[in-house]
Amino acid sequence: LTFYNNYFNIKIKEVRTMKTLMKKENNVTLTETFLGTLEKGMVRIKVKEVGLCRTDLYVAFGEIKTIAPIILGHEFSGEIVESNSDIFRCGDRVSVNPLFDKNFMGLHFDGCLREYIDVPENQVVNVFDLNYKVAAYVEPVAASMAVLKACKDKKSVGAVFGKNRIAELTYIILKSKGYNIHWIGEEELIEEESYDYIIETMFNDEDLIKIIHALKKEGLLVIKSRKKTPTGLISSDLIAKEITLKSVNYYDYNLTVQWMMKNEKAFSHLLGESYEIEDWKDAFNTARSGESKKIFIHF
């Protein structure tokens, strides 16, 4: 066959496969998928590090229902190895905004837990010389920095509610920006009407009751949790204090990267171990067992 092809100068199209972590109907499996042709306005990223999020775990263990099969993951960094873009070029170190309009990577369409991924140029952000693990943390930082869109007055007395990693990250960001901010836990006794605004990080009935109790009259409740289950809010409690609710999504990704480059030491302790893709089960189990550090998967 080789002689035949060489003799007639027949070009055989290269077929490339890649390791892929996929959620099928009832299980997650490490399999192989194919690389297609890179379309106009797209870049091909060689994935380096993927951060594991609670959303990834919920999808993997069937707690969030999605289409199946679906490739998991949405927090990642990598290097552009092929570009059909006028903005980015090969060799650029990048991360990606996983929210495509109203659709979310790894939830509504295939995610990043694979060796290569093709992404539209308008979703890509240059992370410059950030190392790949730190760069894979851009999405959570952008989500936490979104509170800056709601919290305008640095002199007002504010609080981040919840002793968890996202709460700590949000607190670190606000402190770095000069806010008068406190970090309070679920078990702490809080005086009524103590804060002008409170940022929640665990949207559930019990915590919301405590938060409303702790807010001053005409206070602000900033909502940033992405829970899929319904939660009851008692309207009479909100009306009695004339509470304002403000929900936030993402901060500007380029500004987020700039902050990370200046403040890496302030949040680096939140980054945990990185597992090889073949050890994905151990990574998922570690990520599920605790919230103190972000767990990563490495390609």
Side-chain angles (χ1 to χ4, degrees):
L1 180 60
T2 301
F3 170 80
Y4 181 86
N5 290 331
N6 290 339
Y7 183 80
F8 289 102
N9 196 27
I10 297 174
K11 293 183 179 180
I12 301 175
K13 185 178 180 180
E14 182 183 13
V15 177
R16 297 175 66 185
T17 61
M18 55 180 170
K19 296 176 183 177
T20 304
L21 194 63
M22 182 175 288
K23 169 66 187 299
K24 297 187 177 179
E25 289 293 342
N26 297 312
N27 66 304
V28 177
T29 182
L30 183 60
T31 184
E32 287 193 344
T33 55
F34 294 97
L35 276 168
T37 302
L38 189 66
E39 298 179 2
K40 179 63 178 175
M42 305 282 283
V43 297
R44 176 160 294 164
I45 302 170
K46 180 174 176 57
V47 177
K48 296 290 189 177
E49 293 279 352
V50 179
L52 291 182
C53 172
R54 280 178 288 186
T55 301
D56 303 324
L57 301 177
Y58 293 156
V59 173
F61 292 102
E63 295 166 37
I64 294 179
K65 301 299 181 184
T66 63
I67 58 171
I70 188 170
I71 301 171
L72 299 171
H74 64 273
E75 301 175 13
F76 76 102
S77 65
E79 178 187 349
I80 294 177
V81 294
E82 188 176 348
S83 177
N84 206 345
S85 162
D86 297 327
I87 303 173
F88 297 96
R89 59 186 181 182
C90 292
D92 285 348
R93 188 176 296 210
V94 295
S95 184
V96 168
N97 180 348
L99 182 63
F100 288 45
D101 192 15
K102 296 180 181 180
N103 295 314
F104 201 76
M105 181 182 291
L107 195 60
H108 302 114
F109 61 95
D110 282 334
C112 62
L113 269 165
R114 44 181 154 166
E115 290 183 272
Y116 298 90
I117 183 171
D118 296 348
V119 181
E121 61 185 10
N122 63 325
Q123 298 293 133
V124 180
V125 57
N126 198 318
V127 298
F128 304 103
D129 59 351
L130 287 178
N131 72 61
Y132 286 116
K133 182 184 284 189
V134 173
Y137 202 47
V138 170
E139 189 269 349
V141 177
S144 287
M145 289 192 74
V147 301
L148 296 173
K149 297 190 292 185
C151 308
K152 302 294 187 179
D153 186 358
K154 294 184 178 182
K155 295 181 180 179
S156 295
V157 182
V160 182
F161 188 93
K163 288 295 181 178
N164 55 69
R165 186 177 64 246
I166 288 298
E168 183 175 0
L169 175 61
T170 306
Y171 172 74
I172 289 169
I173 290 168
L174 290 169
K175 286 294 286 185
S176 76
K177 295 285 187 178
Y179 280 77
N180 182 11
I181 192 74
H182 301 255
W183 181 23
I184 55 178
E186 304 90 314
E187 305 303 322
E188 292 184 38
L189 293 175
I190 311 168
E191 291 186 11
E192 187 172 4
E193 299 193 0
S194 299
Y195 298 101
D196 297 302
Y197 66 92
I198 296 180
I199 301 159
E200 65 79 29
T201 59
M202 299 175 297
F203 200 71
N204 59 59
D205 293 342
E206 184 178 349
D207 292 335
L208 288 172
I209 290 171
K210 294 177 181 178
I211 288 171
I212 293 169
H213 172 85
L215 280 170
K216 295 179 182 179
K217 186 175 176 63
E218 298 184 357
L220 172 66
L221 168 55
V222 182
I223 300 170
K224 70 180 303 300
S225 297
R226 302 171 188 270
K227 291 186 66 177
K228 294 290 186 180
T229 53
T231 301
L233 280 172
I234 301 172
S235 62
S236 62
D237 293 343
L238 298 172
I239 291 170
K241 286 189 173 182
E242 298 182 310
I243 299 298
T244 298
L245 274 64
K246 174 70 175 178
S247 55
V248 293
N249 199 358
Y250 285 114
Y251 200 59
D252 180 270
Y253 267 68
N254 291 302
L255 295 178
T256 297
V257 170
Q258 291 179 25
W259 181 87
M260 293 175 71
M261 293 174 70
K262 295 177 182 178
N263 296 275
E264 182 178 341
K265 290 182 179 179
F267 65 86
S268 59
H269 64 283
L270 300 175
L271 309 183
E273 187 176 355
S274 183
Y275 292 75
E276 296 291 334
I277 184 60
E278 289 79 9
D279 299 322
W280 68 268
K281 290 182 181 179
D282 294 334
F284 273 59
N285 288 333
T286 303
R288 205 178 192 193
S289 66
E291 278 284 319
S292 60
K293 291 183 181 293
K294 170 69 69 173
I295 300 301
F296 297 83
I297 288 180
H298 171 76
F299 284 93

